[in-house]
Amino acid sequence: MASAINLDQDQQWLINCLNATLDTDHQVRSFAEASLTQASLQHAAVLLKQFIKKHWHEDEDNFEHPIVASDEKEVIRRLLLLCLDDTHRKICTAVSMAVASIAYYDWPEDWPELLPFLMKLINDQTNMNGVLGALRCLALLSGDIDDKAVPSLVPILFPCLLSIVSSPQIYEKSMRAKALSIVYSCTSMLGTMSGAYKAETSYLMSPMLQPWMEQFSAVLSHPVQPEDPDDWSIRIEVLKCLNQFVQNFPSATEKEFMSIVGPLWQTFVTTLKVYEQSSVEGTQDSFEGRYDSDGAERSLESFVIQVVANNLQELVYYTFGFMQITEQQTNAWSLDANQYISDEDDNMYNCRVSGVLLLEEIISSCGEDGLCALIDAARRRFIESQQQKADGFEFWWRIREAVIYAMASLSDQLQEAEVCSSDGFDLKKFIEQMIMEDIGAGVHECPFLYARVFSSVPKFSSMLSLGVIEHFLFASLRAIGMDVPPPVKVGSCRVLSQLLSEAYKEALQPQILQLFSSLVDLLNHASEESLHLVLETLQAAIKSGHEASLSVEPIISPIILNTWVSHVSDPFISIDAIEVLEAIKNAPGCIEPLVSRVLPYIGPILSQPKQQPDGLVAGSLDLVTMLLKNAPGPVVKALYDVCFNPIIQIVLQSDDHSEMQNATECLAAFVCGGKNELLAWGGDPGFTMRSLLDALSRLLDPDLESSGSFFVGNYILQLILNLPSQMGQHIQDLVSALVRRMQSCEIAGLKNSLLLVFARLVHLSAPNVGQFIDLLVSIPRDGDRNSFAYVMSEWVKHQGEVQGSYQIKVTTTSLALLLSTRHVELAKNFVQGHLIQSTAGITTRSKAKSAPEQWTVMPLNAKVILALLADTLIEIQEQVTEHDEEDSDWEEIDAGDADVDQNTLHVATAKSSGKPAYEHLAAMAKNQQDGDEDDLLSSIDPLNEINVANYLVDFLVKFYQSDTTLFDQLSQSLTQSQRHAIQMILNHYQRNTA
């Protein structure tokens, strides 16, 4: 067996030993078995686990021939079980993992003796190593147990586990915690099953709930012990199990839950003292970054995250305590301000973040009561901090910083809060008091408090008076140029980056040049972590600086360009740098000098792309695209002279997908900005047009990887919209190439963009849409009757994925145009319809393999196009209902032939807070694809002016009028909700024409 596999020395030795265990010679067998037992003390078990993954089961992706023979499997299984009570815990864990790996394939059918062996081992109190080995093995097995095994396993296993958990005098805490982890895994699976088998799972668990709840109470009732990770670990497992019990069996657990409330609260309250001593003050060991032999974290922080649970007034008060900056954080952030920025921006999961999540949940679940609890606890903590400061307590600022951090994190919820207290409490005044009182604290003594105040001002801005905001703006301007601790400068940057705006332009102008100077100095000393914040602040300063930006452009632009070049391979920083350059471009009088500064540098890069470092060509193309957008004609011409031909060559020759994508966007921006004049700039309009078409041909090459063609759809739309006469003669070739590219497409986003092109071509062919259908029918396509059948099959399959206001308008209205032709091909073609739902219980891995998804097959015109239009109508109606409580709006439409548009307009544009009621469907409210791409298209395409609701109502009424028989026939196959949506409109029409 080993000869067919490339094995290292250890693996070969293992194979030889396993083969020797089958030898007829008793001495050979005994020696081999003894060798394997001895090897278990080393790393053979680990090797065996790797061997199992590769050679045990043929259906696995990483399987390598040959497969282990059945008799060899039997020997391996037997020997492994004998090693489960190994005294070396790491070896025991490795053996357990090997057993679990085999059990995944063999248990229970081919390994029925596994569970009885483990149960015997787990019940033997004379062999604690065996108990631990069995527990570890069961813990691994329970993590991957399926719905077939768990109902039979729980009645056998849970009593044994309960015996272990309830016997602290016999079993150590780590064993009891491991037993609880098995309970958690099994209960989680039962919870998954409870949806389909509610009665069965409740019947199974009901007798077990009371004894388990009693044990949970016993574990939690004692005060939390400092420097005892095992105590923390067992409590974590109890809380996890308790959570599963409450979630999955709420009615059965409810009567038992009162017994747990007191102990649960005892754990929560006593944890704070331990946490303050270990993490906040650093006087005791918090076991930070430590793990047990199974790889589970043992730190106090991980325990606290589990302990924080739902409560109200006292819960919020104690949560503030858990959110204080720890001694470890203070030391780390004081030594490295960049780590401070990184941790703040990353929202790494720690007690501070989990505390915010808890407070959010309290407000979400409890509404006004939760907000009142938050505000009352904040007032209480603030008063305490004032007293601590007066008493000379060194760390008085920590709890105040935590309160401000929490309140700022929940600023959106607080803005909607009304007065919660009976004493006429003024929340806005309280917030101003907190931040204004702290601004007088010593910046060097309490830098993190100072930084927190600054960082929180933008979040509180809607609740603060204009005078307070201006005070912090000027304080930030001063702090950036002063010798203050780095965290304070971080907070100052956050104020300026988010609050500099038109409203404060006049007041800030006298200091704007000094601000630019300070920011440039920060930029020159910024690290990668702080660079983002400085660039963001600089961008805001430029936007606010207006005319002053022109005077500093010669200083700032070269620095930003150097920053961009140095970090061009970092997508985040390079984008930040380009956004700063874009702000300079948009400042009065800055675009010409900026472009003249960029071109001498960019030209050689694009002309010799093969000689550039990684990322520089793609980044340069991104920069050119930014400069082209909304640029005046002379600037577009200047960029064309230097960049156009090199960009064409990059599209034709590059194999780098990032370069091709950015070059495609760049060409689209050239066509959008230059339009027909673009063709004459090179001296030979025909040559320029051929260059554009050659680039298009490469991008539509079906053999090109999909990623390289990703933005070709936008490029095509720019060509057909801005150069319609030149593109008209190439439509048939274009359509053929689009079909071929779509056939080989492997990326859904690319396929959807090509479908958008087809949709736009439908509109361009109007009123002769039938001729466009004939064109598609005339183009053959492998696997389908013709290209029309293929395109429509893909279109209706992906229409629900279309995103973006412009895209939805074009594709939806194009479907209506196609249906209005009544073309014979619409009735001939059948496409994918509805997913056939299975009601046969839980879908397991084996079920998914044996019974893949099945779909109905439906006629294109009846079941699909009309259904898609009806679904769009339903979405519009739902959006109207969401934004207008008068659900009768649709019932009040007077849809006479001459009045349809006017009355539907009332529905489609019903106002709520000055915004459109349905916002052009729910999907249009999302940020889909690239916003700039939408802007380029929507700004030049008259189809963007279409009101989808008006269009659909008008289309359906006219379709019904022109052929009532066909319309009724098609409608019969719609769902009830689809028919209802359409019938509402037709009823109005019939009522008003009677």
Side-chain angles (χ1 to χ4, degrees), residues 168-186:
Q169 71 280 6
I170 300 175
Y171 301 96
E172 60 189 32
K173 291 175 182 176
S174 60
M175 285 187 179
R176 295 164 64 211
K178 186 65 66 178
L180 286 164
S181 73
I182 300 170
V183 174
Y184 169 78
S185 297
C186 293

Side-chain angles (χ1 to χ4, degrees), residues 259-559:
S259 64
I260 205 75
V261 172
L264 187 61
W265 184 248
Q266 169 82 348
T267 289
F268 181 80
V269 172
T270 58
T271 299
L272 179 57
K273 185 64 176 177
V274 176
Y275 182 76
E276 287 180 333
Q277 293 173 349
S278 299
S279 292
V280 177
E281 299 172 8
T283 58
Q284 293 182 355
D285 196 345
S286 68
F287 291 79
E288 190 67 27
R290 302 191 192 182
Y291 301 83
D292 63 21
S293 60
D294 293 334
E297 188 173 357
R298 294 166 63 88
S299 70
L300 179 62
E301 176 116 338
S302 64
F303 169 55
V304 171
I305 291 170
Q306 292 288 339
V307 169
V308 174
N310 197 10
N311 207 307
L312 221 51
Q313 293 185 9
E314 288 297 303
L315 176 56
V316 176
Y317 174 85
Y318 278 98
T319 300
F320 283 147
F322 284 117
M323 295 171 70
Q324 295 174 86
I325 293 178
T326 67
E327 182 67 16
Q328 181 187 16
Q329 289 168 330
T330 301
N331 293 334
W333 293 343
S334 297
L335 293 173
D336 186 0
N338 296 310
Q339 186 64 45
Y340 174 69
I341 296 174
S342 178
D343 291 349
E344 287 278 295
D345 290 341
D346 288 347
N347 278 334
M348 55 186 294
Y349 195 59
N350 52 34
C351 279
R352 287 164 72 84
V353 175
S354 63
V356 171
L357 294 175
L358 172 61
L359 296 176
E360 286 179 345
E361 184 64 30
I362 290 173
I363 294 173
S364 174
S365 302
C366 305
E368 186 176 339
D369 289 340
L371 282 168
C372 289
L374 177 73
I375 294 169
D376 288 341
R379 295 171 67 190
R380 186 172 158 193
R381 285 293 194 182
F382 180 68
I383 294 171
E384 287 178 4
S385 71
Q386 288 177 314
Q387 186 60 51
Q388 288 177 346
K389 183 179 180 182
D391 293 342
F393 180 54
E394 180 182 0
F395 301 122
W396 67 269
W397 59 269
R398 283 181 169 169
I399 192 64
R400 192 177 299 188
E401 188 275 344
V403 170
I404 298 174
Y405 169 73
M407 300 284 277
S409 300
L410 299 166
S411 58
D412 290 341
Q413 294 91 327
L414 288 171
Q415 288 172 23
E416 302 173 1
E418 297 181 0
V419 176
C420 297
S421 304
S422 58
D423 57 359
F425 172 70
D426 188 332
L427 175 60
K428 295 182 179 180
K429 186 176 180 180
F430 171 63
I431 290 174
E432 288 190 356
Q433 180 190 1
M434 275 201 307
I435 62 175
M436 291 301 291
E437 180 170 322
D438 287 331
I439 204 68
V443 65
H444 292 279
E445 290 78 11
C446 309
F448 293 108
L449 176 60
Y450 223 97
R452 177 61 53 206
V453 171
F454 273 132
S455 299
S456 301
V457 167
K459 297 185 177 182
F460 290 134
S461 59
S462 64
M463 307 174 68
L464 301 176
S465 66
L466 185 61
V468 171
I469 293 176
E470 288 186 348
H471 174 84
F472 277 98
L473 277 171
F474 286 111
S476 299
L477 283 167
R478 291 192 300 272
I480 280 195
M482 293 170 58
D483 180 19
V484 295
V488 181
K489 290 199 176 188
V490 170
S492 300
C493 283
R494 296 194 191 282
V495 172
L496 295 170
S497 65
Q498 297 178 56
L499 292 184
L500 280 176
S501 65
E502 286 285 333
Y504 310 105
K505 182 180 77 169
E506 297 301 328
L508 293 174
Q509 287 310 302
Q511 300 188 48
I512 200 71
L513 292 178
Q514 179 59 43
L515 174 60
F516 282 135
S517 176
S518 300
L519 288 172
V520 168
D521 183 62
L522 281 179
L523 195 64
N524 288 328
H525 297 90
S527 69
E528 291 188 6
E529 288 80 7
S530 57
L531 198 53
H532 166 77
L533 182 58
V534 178
L535 288 171
E536 189 179 62
T537 309
L538 191 54
Q539 180 185 353
I542 292 168
K543 289 181 178 178
S544 181
H546 297 277
E547 290 78 9
S549 299
L550 181 59
S551 62
V552 298
E553 186 276 332
I555 301 171
I556 294 179
S557 292
I559 295 174

